[in-house]
Amino acid sequence: MSAAEKTRPGDPAYNFGYLDEQTKRMIRRGLLKAVAIPGYQVPFASREMPLPYGWGTGGIQVTASIIGPHDRLKVIDQGADDTTNAVSIRRFFQRVTAVETTEETAQATLIQTRHRIPERDLTDDQILVYQVPIPEPLRQLEPRESECRKIHAWQEYGVMHVGLYEDIARWGHIARTYDYPVMVNERYLSAPSPIPKFDNPKMTRMAALQLFGAGREKRLYAIPPHTDVRSLDFEDHPFEVQHWDEVCGLCGAAESFLDEVILDDRGGHMYVCSDSDFCRHRREQGHRGAMAGHEAVRGLTEQAS
Amino acid sequence: MTSFAQGLAQGAPQPGFGDAVFDSQASFRALLDALARPGEIRAMTLPLTAPAPLSPAATALALTLFDHDTPVWLDAGAVVGEVPGFLAFHCGCPVVDETERAAFALISAPAAMPPLHGFAVGEDRYPETSTTLVIDVQALAGGTPVRLSGPGIADVAVVAPVGLPGAFWEQMRANRGLFPLGVDVVLAAGGQVLGLPRTVRSEV
């Protein structure tokens, strides 16, 4: 064993980042093409990972291909750092890379996410990696991959508008609340992954690079920084995000995405920020919601260890 | 196609990265950033002994991205001498004669380079199957300013590389007209790179 190998970070039984170098090269080449064609889904030879499809294998492969020993990694699942998927993925990267991890959005150089974009604005020196279950926004309307490819190639996106119009005809409004289709750089229709539509406006002209990985579907795509991302809508039915009548029970935030938490079996419930780091920062700054300090919410505010 | 034996017949190749895992990772991040933010100059991982006539940055790019899956086209200056043996030994990539078959093209003498449209521009259903050109220029700054806009650029970026052929920016505009098809370009000088993905709009 050479001196360099002895000082190599991470579990010595694995290559740095788990993937072998040839796999990383293949994914890296795919990512460069993805960046050059914003919103286009680049096929890649997705590998078996040590956790099942659906647990973020696409995002993990993207992160594993770009992460270096000087990165600070943050992993979130539904906005929170202490949920099952986030904890297991963070532990995986601690084991195979030994990189520093953080829960602070502002401190992270690399953020892997499932289903949310952090509330805090991301910066030029950050990369956001999305875990994507279904990268094809047309999949529910056109099951054939060969047809979807033609639709994207020739920009024949009428079928998507018909799908949204059917919502209006049936419900009076566009009923999609998550994975709301977007047009990237006014060229490719893309799936933002199942983030709530509340987060869609954060995608446009974001300072950070956004990378998307779908493991089971074997697709990579990207949105470069400062790129236009438009949520589809109609003139008479403009795109709107969710609003709540309540505020966060812990920090009182009225501007963040809220999750409903059931407190007991008698109908007791409250709303809390889905972004746990955002909520903690606000509490540290002295903001208090109606339920702050209440016995019923002790488990929500204590640090998970 | 240059065989492994022919390549090695040129003599022992220069060493590659000091640490293949971490040097290629750092180089890749520089490239990713360069292509995601056209106009911004990024440093590749060095030190590295580059095979003549390639720049250290173009060499680092080759070591980071080339392997048996990437047919590579070499220009007249690179196809003779140390480069084919270096690539055969470190990357194992096939070297091809036809520009339109190349996943990557290494261009050491841009004055004599073939036009951009001579390379693979991809297919409408698979636009990623286009050539990425790596062009060694004299310098990445100090030349005639060119204004860039497009994805990855907040407003306008100004670049001024030295040593590109006169028709280059006109060809880049034609390349932009093919979008989503088109070649992607990485300019290299010394240890630095500048990305010009197919999305850039340029104005001399």
Side-chain angles (χ1 to χ4, degrees):
Chain A
M1 192 180 272
S2 73
E5 281 168 330
K6 275 181 202 154
T7 57
R8 178 150 294 184
D11 187 330
Y14 296 99
N15 187 24
F16 180 84
Y18 184 80
L19 296 174
D20 60 277
E21 290 302 299
Q22 204 276 324
T23 298
K24 288 185 195 170
R25 264 195 305 277
M26 174 267 297
I27 293 174
R28 287 168 180 171
R29 288 192 300 260
L31 289 173
L32 294 181
K33 287 298 181 191
V35 163
I37 319 166
Y40 167 75
Q41 302 162 55
V42 180
F44 82 112
S46 178
R47 300 297 195 238
E48 286 277 338
M49 296 303 283
L51 69 173
Y53 287 140
W55 285 75
T57 54
I60 293 171
Q61 289 179 77
V62 170
T63 299
S65 301
I66 66 179
I67 197 167
H70 305 301
D71 275 313
R72 253 189 318 278
L73 178 69
K74 172 181 166 82
V75 185
I76 51 173
D77 168 10
Q78 301 278 12
D81 296 86
D82 56 0
T83 37
T84 311
N85 196 220
V87 169
S88 61
I89 292 172
R90 185 162 55 241
R91 283 194 187 145
F92 172 78
F93 280 111
Q94 279 168 335
R95 177 166 174 192
V96 297
T97 66
V99 297
E100 203 183 322
T101 59
T102 181
E103 296 191 4
E104 303 256 342
T105 303
Q107 299 296 318
T109 57
L110 206 52
I111 301 172
Q112 179 167 330
T113 179
R114 172 177 177 273
H115 299 193
R116 275 312 307 281
I117 297 175
E119 303 291 357
R120 188 190 179 95
D121 285 344
L122 300 184
T123 61
D124 272 334
D125 43 17
Q126 293 180 308
I127 299 178
L128 184 59
V129 177
Y130 296 76
Q131 300 169 200
V132 184
I134 300 173
E136 180 50 74
L138 301 162
R139 183 60 75 234
Q140 301 299 324
L141 304 163
E142 173 50 70
R144 288 167 297 179
E145 166 68 14
S146 54
E147 289 303 307
C148 286
R149 232 164 230 291
K150 288 181 200 165
I151 292 172
H152 285 296
W154 302 322
Q155 226 179 332
E156 298 278 2
Y157 291 137
V159 62
M160 187 80 244
H161 283 99
V162 171
L164 296 178
Y165 174 74
E166 280 174 353
D167 264 12
I168 293 170
R170 190 162 180 196
W171 309 105
H173 62 277
I174 297 174
R176 284 176 172 246
T177 54
Y178 64 95
D179 212 353
Y180 191 104
V182 293
M183 191 65 97
V184 177
N185 190 30
E186 289 303 324
R187 177 57 185 83
Y188 280 102
L189 182 69
S190 303
S193 85
I195 58 172
K197 67 176 179 176
F198 179 88
D199 284 342
N200 277 25
K202 297 177 191 164
M203 299 178 91
T204 192
R205 307 197 73 83
M206 185 191 278
L209 170 63
Q210 303 173 72
L211 301 175
F212 300 77
R216 180 183 48 217
E217 303 290 322
K218 302 177 172 56
R219 295 291 183 273
L220 303 168
Y221 52 110
I223 303 176
H226 313 296
T227 300
D228 288 325
V229 178
R230 179 171 60 83
S231 302
L232 296 189
D233 61 359
F234 299 96
E235 271 176 28
D236 51 345
H237 286 272
F239 174 77
E240 279 178 352
V241 299
Q242 293 97 326
H243 294 286
W244 289 263
D245 295 331
E246 333 263 334
V247 296
C248 172
L250 301 177
C251 75
E255 71 276 24
S256 77
F257 187 83
L258 300 179
D259 284 335
E260 187 178 4
V261 177
I262 305 297
L263 296 172
D264 52 41
D265 56 5
R266 296 183 302 279
H269 67 117
M270 67 183 287
Y271 288 87
V272 294
C273 293
S274 133
D275 184 334
S276 55
D277 178 59
F278 175 81
C279 194
R280 191 179 64 240
H281 268 279
R282 279 182 53 88
R283 292 199 304 273
E284 283 167 7
Q285 286 163 6
H287 296 283
R288 286 172 70 82
M291 294 292 282
H294 198 282
E295 178 62 20
V297 301
R298 214 156 48 88
L300 290 172
T301 49
E302 276 177 4
Q303 281 292 332
S305 54
Chain B
M1 196 167 288
T2 311
S3 75
F4 185 73
Q6 278 171 332
L8 287 185
Q10 302 284 340
Q14 301 283 358
F17 279 135
D19 188 311
V21 173
F22 297 107
D23 291 353
S24 59
Q25 186 274 334
S27 289
F28 169 71
R29 282 288 279 275
L31 276 171
L32 179 67
D33 216 26
L35 280 162
R37 301 170 194 281
E40 293 187 24
I41 294 171
R42 290 287 180 266
M44 300 288 277
T45 301
L46 303 170
L48 189 67
T49 319
L54 292 188
S55 67
T59 308
L61 183 149
L63 292 171
T64 302
L65 297 176
F66 295 3
D67 59 26
H68 51 82
D69 286 334
T70 57
V72 174
W73 183 86
L74 301 173
D75 77 350
V79 81
V80 293
E82 299 174 13
V83 177
F86 182 90
L87 295 180
F89 183 79
H90 290 292
C91 308
C93 56
V95 173
V96 294
D97 296 329
E98 305 90 340
T99 48
E100 66 274 17
R101 278 187 57 206
F104 290 93
L106 286 179
I107 290 156
S108 62
M113 67 183 275
L116 294 181
H117 59 76
F119 294 90
V121 296
E123 304 168 35
D124 51 9
R125 277 173 292 170
Y126 295 92
E128 79 280 14
T129 55
S130 64
T131 307
T132 302
L133 284 85
V134 184
I135 307 177
D136 269 333
V137 293
Q138 274 168 269
L140 296 178
T144 313
V146 177
R147 292 156 61 86
L148 305 180
S149 58
I153 302 168
D155 182 20
V156 172
V158 177
V159 296
V162 182
L164 287 166
F168 179 80
W169 292 108
E170 203 183 308
Q171 290 174 12
M172 277 300 283
R173 276 191 292 282
N175 187 56
R176 178 65 185 78
L178 299 175
F179 191 83
L181 307 190
V183 299
D184 302 306
V185 175
V186 176
L187 302 182
Q192 297 180 317
V193 291
L194 196 162
L196 298 173
R198 66 191 79 180
T199 47
V200 294
R201 293 176 188 278
S202 53
E203 204 183 314
V204 180

